Amino acid sequence: MKTIPFLKRSAISLLIILSGSAFAEPPVVKEGLTSAQLLLARRQADAQDPMRRMEASAVQDPSVVNRPKSLLGESDIISFGNFATLVPKRAILQIPENYADRIQMKPGAALQSWRDFYALNRSWITTVEVTRVQAEGNEDIAAETKTQMVKTGNLVIATYLGGPISVLPLKVPVEKTTAKMKP
């Protein structure tokens, strides 16, 4: 009968361990800590707790400052027929006179997602894809795009990655003026 070399080595290792020759000295057994020792260690850890040395923050709590507002208060409503949708304030870039009555909630209209509402009303709604920089008001929308918006005569909604987005007014850089002081 042939033995596999691996099994031969593992059997020899097992015999050495079982015979006790693998341990030169018996293992050291420590006694458990007493409750007094545990209490002392706990008090020392509490005394060194870095959280106790921290000072209170002078910054206002963001959860208090930035309280969520009403969803309806932060949105414009577009409705047509039996359906309506919500878009963020300042997402509507152009409201032609003939569509002004559609910027309100009509009684009995069911709310739809923007995607579903736009799919049903593409004939009178035009979207203009803006960049994040433009939405923040740091860059103006191209003049060609603005003239095209006027030519369409449709309700124009600003979108970012396909969804409606608020477009802040263009930030005008403040020019430094030096006033001459009279002596």
Side-chain angles (χ1 to χ4, degrees):
M1 178 169 118
K2 286 186 168 179
T3 59
I4 301 172
F6 171 72
L7 290 177
K8 197 186 287 184
R9 273 187 253 130
S10 60
I12 293 171
S13 300
L14 183 62
L15 282 174
I16 292 172
I17 291 172
L18 291 177
S19 67
S21 63
F23 298 108
E25 297 176 14
V28 178
V29 178
K30 293 184 179 180
E31 291 188 27
L33 295 175
T34 64
S35 61
Q37 291 170 327
L38 286 173
L39 186 61
L40 179 64
R42 170 71 188 255
R43 286 184 183 153
Q44 289 173 348
D46 284 346
Q48 296 173 357
D49 185 13
M51 295 302 289
R52 291 180 183 240
R53 292 188 300 249
M54 288 189 71
E55 297 176 12
S57 176
V59 178
Q60 286 185 337
D61 184 8
S63 65
V64 174
V65 176
N66 300 320
R67 289 269 183 217
K69 297 177 180 159
S70 164
L71 178 63
L72 291 175
E74 295 292 316
S75 304
D76 285 327
I77 300 172
I78 305 171
S79 63
F80 182 65
N82 294 330
F83 298 106
T85 191
L86 300 174
V87 295
K89 292 263 187 209
R90 296 186 178 143
I92 301 174
L93 300 178
Q94 173 180 303
I95 305 172
E97 289 181 25
N98 53 337
Y99 298 129
D101 62 333
R102 297 182 186 180
I103 310 300
Q104 61 184 344
M105 185 67 170
K106 299 214 172 140
L111 277 177
Q112 279 188 322
S113 68
W114 161 253
R115 186 174 302 195
D116 294 338
F117 186 83
Y118 178 61
L120 293 173
N121 297 289
R122 277 189 279 222
S123 61
W124 58 276
I125 297 176
T126 301
T127 61
V128 173
E129 192 72 19
V130 296
T131 64
R132 187 168 177 116
V133 176
Q134 290 170 330
E136 292 170 347
N138 295 326
E139 185 179 303
D140 198 14
I141 297 174
E144 301 161 357
T145 306
K146 287 182 178 180
T147 57
Q148 189 64 30
M149 287 182 346
V150 173
K151 286 181 184 178
T152 64
N154 289 345
L155 182 78
V156 180
I157 307 291
T159 58
Y160 178 70
L161 301 176
I165 186 170
S166 297
V167 177
L168 297 176
L170 187 62
K171 296 176 185 171
V172 180
V174 179
E175 295 181 24
K176 294 181 180 178
T177 58
T178 55
K180 294 182 180 179
M181 305 273 301
K182 292 183 181 180

